[in-house]
Each structure stands twice: as structure tokens, then as C-alpha cells.
Amino acid sequence: MLSSHAHSYYQASAQARPTYAPLQGWQRCDVCVIGGGYTGISAALALAERGYQVIVLEAEQLGWGASGRNGGQINVGLACEQSTLRGKVGAQDADKLWQLSVEGVALLRQRVAQFNIDCDLTDGCLLAAATTRQVRDLHAWQRDLEQHYHYPHLRYLDGDALQAAVGSPLYQGAVLDQYSGHLHPLNYLLGLATAARTAGVRFFEHSRAQQLRPQRQHVDVHVNGGHVQAQQVILAGNAYIGDLIPWQQQRSMPVGSFIGATAPLPAELAAQLIASRAAVCSMQFVIDYYRLSADNRLLFGGRASITGREPRDLRATLRRRMHTVFPQLTGYDFEFLWGGLLAMTANRAPQFGRLGTQVYYAQGYSGQGVALSGLAGLLMAEAIACDSQRFDLFSRLPHSPVPPGSHLQTAARLGAVAWYQLRDALGL
């Protein structure tokens, strides 16, 4: 399941896509981007618009990784709380990071409009609370964003307003963010790639970068079938980057995430589930996230795998959870079921960095990368164009190292997940 998304709803409903030949022989460019997802294509587009000659290498097909498999939710903020950021970097930098995250959503919306990308862009995300503690935390979160960051797009829902927005018996309250939203993630990526190709970016698929060799004035990128000589390199493989980033610099770990899509639902039933048409995310540690597609399928995700492997009885487990959230769907199953890897950091903030002076990377969006990854690509393009101030703001975020192959580390992560799952079950 983790190695392929051939059976995903996104693949089945994707627009016609061009195919790109594998790299062969010797190629030269200003910037070589490794990874054909949101981060890499966003960087390539921003660089091409500045006049750089750019090559993008993708080991599989464009959008093969998390960019073509994710839940489609577009969120402001980082995956960690703003209060956590203030404690790590101070109030001033935390404010700048928040404003940049809002810019990431604005950038996505601007590109959809500018390049006429048909990706079912829909307004609204709901953060839903199922316990008294979660309602308390939800109120605190809303107050924090409104008082510290003057974010005007939040509306608290309970009672009839909540039931009118999302028809689940589980929730006691929710906050609707009217500026965030959701989209068809693969179609958005394909539209972004078309814009980049029009700007002059050259794409090569089935072209896995195997080794980087920095030289005095350039970097040699060795690929199966050839190599690229570039002045600068961007590593944008996220959870699929392999060992191109040395483990000493790695601050993220691969985590499995899984989604099912029902058959199209009757319009009346779809309206019972999510009349607001907003995307929904729960507040448990092991979250549920779901939304309606343009053709009224319920796309329901969750059941993260810390080990990166597909859980046993995934279909039954995810279906059971869907029926708990929406008893109206008892008897409904998934027509599509798929999964993939995302990169998560210990503090859930993204990791930006450099390897020497010629190689840039961004990764570890921790499940909140649809908008952040596009912003990351833009900021790396800025840095290469000699304006690294905004990139450096992210690169200063402190991260704990992630040593490879640590059984103790995996055991500790599993223990932590078990503890938080117990808290969720007890409503603590």
C-alpha cells in the first residue's frame, strides 16, 4: 500500500497528465530540483519565473509521493501550536512564522487563480472537539490566534450551528476557519507542473537521484542513466528522500497515513454529513480527517502508522472508525483505499536547512504540508536568488536529531502513541 497509489481516488479522477522521459546522458542547468511534489515544483516554478534554468528529477511520476496522496486539507499555521513556537523562538519570530503560513495559503490560492488550475478548491476547515478538555483547548487556540495574531477568519460553532456544519454525534464544539480549505491534491499538483513547464522547467520522471557530489563551482547529481551538473541543488523528496540527506542532518521520520473514499453518496446523505462542505479534522492525538469530494464521496483518513507500515486489517479498522463518526454510513464501505508516507518532526515544525552552500532542503511538514510545502519551495527559490532572510527564519527552528535504525526510538514512539490513545479514550 505504501509503495503505490495506483488505487487511489485521486489517480482515478486525475486530469490527463503528460509523461516525461527518464534522464539520459549529461544535462546542465542552474538549479537541479530532486523531487516532483509540491515543494520541488513550487521551487522550480518560482526559479523559472526569475529566469533560472531548472531541471526537476522525479524518481517515479510527478505527484507520486505525499503531494498526490494526501487528505487535500489546506491549513494556516504549522502543525505545532503557536504557543510552542513562542517558547522556542520568541514572540517576534513566532509572529513572522504565523504570517508566513498565512502567506502559504494565499500563495496556493493565487496560483490556482493565476494558472486556472481545476482542482475543486473549496473554502473552509473545521477543527472539531469531542470532549470537554478538547473544547477548552479549542477555545484557548481560537483566543490565541485572535489576540496574538489578529487572525479574523475563525468562528466557533456549537449546538444547532455545529450540527448544521457537520452531522456527527461525537462533537461538542468546533471552530470553522473560513480562509483554510481543501482541494483535489493531485490535480492541483498537475496544474502547478503545467505552469512550471510553460515557464521553462524541464521534467524527468523515473530518474532517481543516487548521489550528490559537490564540486568547487557546481554539484554533480548522479542519476540512473545519466547525471546533471547544476550550480545549486534543492532536495524536495520529504519522506522519500532516502539517504541524500545525511542522517546527522535528518530531523524527520517517515509516518504512514491512510485514506479511504466511498462511492458517490446521495446528495441528501452528503448534506447530512457535512452540509458546510468544509474539511474536518478532529482533535484527538490519532486524528480523523475527512471531507466531501466534488462528486460527493466521503474521503476519510486517519489511523496513522508510526512504523510506516500498513496497519493490520486497515480496511476494517478505518471503516469502523468512519461508522463511529458517521453512524449514517453504517453499511457503506470504501471504493478506494490507499496510503503513503509523510515526514514528521519531533516538534511537528518543518525542517529547512542547507548542506554546505550549494544544497538546500525543506521537509517534515508533519501532516500540514499542502500550503507549507508550496511556501517552502518559494522560500528556497528566494534564498538561491540571494534573499535568504525568510528561509533562514525557518532554518533556525530547533529540531532533535533522528538517528537511523534505532529500535529504542521506535519503541519510545509506540509507547508515546499508546499513552495518547489512552488519553483520547478516557477523554483526558
Side-chain angles (χ1 to χ4, degrees):
M1 182 71 69
L2 293 183
S3 62
S4 173
H5 60 173
H7 299 295
S8 79
Y9 164 69
Y10 301 138
Q11 284 285 86
S13 58
Q15 300 165 3
R17 64 158 78 198
T19 58
Y20 299 95
L23 181 95
Q24 294 185 346
W26 179 86
Q27 299 285 342
R28 188 174 181 177
C29 62
D30 297 322
V31 183
C32 179
V33 177
I34 298 173
Y38 295 146
T39 304
I41 295 176
S42 174
L45 173 59
L47 286 163
E49 289 175 332
R50 287 164 168 80
Y52 287 83
Q53 295 181 341
V54 185
I55 284 175
V56 174
L57 302 176
E58 166 55 45
E60 302 290 342
Q61 288 179 296
L62 299 186
W64 183 88
S67 296
R69 311 186 194 199
N70 65 78
Q73 296 201 8
I74 309 160
N75 301 102
V76 296
L78 311 187
C80 60
E81 299 292 342
Q82 283 297 121
S83 56
T84 301
L85 283 179
R86 288 197 297 273
K88 291 182 176 296
V89 301
Q92 185 175 18
D93 280 356
D95 179 73
K96 292 177 182 177
L97 289 165
W98 169 261
Q99 299 305 331
L100 280 170
S101 81
V102 177
E103 182 182 329
V105 176
L107 175 66
L108 182 151
R109 290 179 173 276
Q110 175 256 315
R111 283 172 164 172
V112 168
Q114 178 182 354
F115 301 117
N116 195 26
I117 300 175
D118 184 6
C119 59
D120 305 326
L121 179 60
T122 305
D123 294 341
C125 274
L126 275 168
L127 184 60
T131 68
T132 301
R133 174 185 62 82
Q134 290 175 10
V135 169
R136 185 172 62 248
D137 292 344
L138 191 61
H139 282 303
W141 176 75
Q142 182 176 2
R143 283 195 304 271
D144 187 42
L145 296 189
E146 291 176 341
Q147 293 175 8
H148 285 95
Y149 306 103
H150 310 291
Y151 186 64
H153 302 289
L154 304 179
R155 183 160 68 94
Y156 183 76
L157 306 176
D158 60 5
D160 291 342
L162 174 61
Q163 281 300 306
V166 55
S168 172
L170 294 187
Y171 304 126
Q172 299 181 21
V175 168
L176 173 63
D177 180 352
Q178 299 167 94
Y179 190 60
S180 295
H182 58 96
L183 47 62
H184 188 299
L186 184 54
N187 280 340
Y188 170 62
L189 178 131
L190 294 174
L192 205 62
T194 297
R197 183 186 63 198
T198 301
V201 174
R202 289 183 289 162
F203 290 102
F204 295 93
E205 294 181 323
H206 304 290
S207 300
R208 184 178 301 277
Q210 298 169 317
Q211 189 178 34
L212 305 180
R213 289 188 176 176
Q215 310 295 331
R216 290 176 64 88
Q217 301 296 326
H218 65 270
V219 181
D220 286 329
V221 182
H222 291 261
V223 184
N224 55 303
H227 82 276
V228 177
Q229 183 184 99
Q231 302 302 307
Q232 307 280 350
V233 170
I234 287 176
L235 301 180
N238 205 28
Y240 296 92
I241 197 62
D243 59 2
L244 290 178
I245 297 178
W247 76 262
Q248 293 90 340
Q249 277 79 35
Q250 277 281 5
R251 299 294 187 268
S252 66
M253 64 194 83
V255 173
S257 189
F258 306 89
I259 307 174
T262 68
L265 304 174
E268 298 83 357
L269 178 55
Q272 288 179 31
L273 303 183
I274 315 176
S276 63
R277 306 296 294 196
V280 183
C281 183
S282 70
M283 292 184 67
Q284 296 104 316
F285 179 77
V286 182
I287 65 171
D288 303 315
Y289 57 91
Y290 49 89
R291 63 189 183 90
L292 291 170
S293 65
D295 59 350
N296 278 344
R297 300 172 187 269
L298 184 71
L299 276 58
F300 191 93
R303 309 302 96 185
S305 167
I306 297 298
T307 64
R309 295 190 296 271
E310 181 179 314
R312 182 179 301 175
D313 299 326
L314 172 63
R315 176 179 292 273
T317 301
L318 197 60
R319 183 178 59 221
R320 186 163 53 246
R321 183 61 190 171
M322 179 180 71
H323 293 164
T324 299
V325 174
F326 289 120
Q328 305 96 310
L329 292 180
T330 299
Y332 280 84
D333 202 344
F334 298 117
E335 186 172 307
F336 298 92
L337 186 66
W338 71 96
L341 296 177
L342 59 91
M344 181 169 287
T345 61
N347 62 12
R348 299 199 298 167
Q351 183 200 3
F352 289 31
R354 294 179 179 86
L355 302 176
T357 60
Q358 298 166 300
V359 180
Y360 294 77
Y361 62 89
Q363 60 184 22
Y365 308 109
S366 301
Q368 199 151 314
V370 175
L372 275 177
S373 56
L375 177 72
L378 174 64
L379 298 191
M380 285 189 285
E382 289 179 355
I384 287 173
C386 299
D387 182 6
S388 65
Q389 183 177 358
R390 303 199 311 168
F391 177 86
D392 290 341
L393 179 64
F394 275 96
S395 69
R396 290 196 297 269
L397 283 168
H399 291 278
S400 300
V402 182
S406 169
H407 297 295
L408 180 61
Q409 179 199 78
T410 300
R413 281 158 34 200
L414 291 172
V417 169
W419 162 243
Y420 281 108
Q421 286 176 321
L422 179 62
R423 286 191 61 184
D424 288 344
L426 297 175
L428 298 177

